[in-house]
Amino acid sequence: MKKVLEKRDDIAFLVMLYPLPMHKDAYKKTKSVICEKSLSLLDDAFGKKSLPEPTCETTAIDDNINLAKKLGITGTPAIILSNGSLIPGYKDADSLISLIDKAK
């Protein structure tokens, strides 16, 4: 996403955290990111750094998990384009830009 944003200022992402059960402490880490509303904590989580304990009570992560189930999303990353297409898995920046442009 960062590489896409470096290339294009007309593209935005809505990041919805979806912790997979196979990743140790993913649920707690995503809750910490949500509570602090922190992109730097999100970077730290992806960098496998330790995160502080969650500082709030929120259902946001459970809501995201339920939405993912409803949409049939079983892994990450999962990208939903503006036309509703679901793109599972990693895409390099140029491929993702192409998909975004085609969805318009």
Side-chain angles (χ1 to χ4, degrees):
M1 289 186 305
K2 288 181 180 184
K3 289 182 181 178
V4 170
L5 297 174
E6 288 172 5
K7 294 179 179 218
R8 296 278 294 271
D9 63 1
D10 63 326
I11 295 175
F13 293 94
L14 170 62
V15 176
M16 298 183 73
L17 300 177
Y18 177 44
L20 298 174
M22 68 185 86
H23 298 294
K24 184 181 180 210
D25 297 327
Y27 185 88
K28 183 172 70 170
K29 287 181 177 185
T30 55
K31 192 171 177 182
S32 292
V33 171
I34 292 290
C35 289
E36 298 302 322
K37 298 178 179 137
S38 171
L39 287 176
S40 65
L41 279 184
L42 182 60
D43 282 341
D44 288 349
F46 282 118
K48 300 185 187 329
K49 295 179 181 176
S50 61
L51 269 60
E53 292 291 319
T55 59
C56 71
E57 289 300 321
T58 179
T59 63
I61 303 304
D62 295 313
D63 295 344
N64 290 352
I65 292 168
N66 290 331
L67 179 60
K69 287 179 185 175
K70 183 177 177 182
L71 296 174
I73 296 170
T74 58
T76 63
I79 301 164
I80 300 175
L81 300 173
S82 62
N83 66 0
S85 298
L86 173 62
I87 310 298
Y90 171 82
K91 299 290 181 219
D92 65 75
D94 290 331
S95 297
L96 187 51
I97 289 169
S98 178
L99 290 166
I100 291 167
D101 286 342
K102 288 178 186 172
K104 290 181 182 177

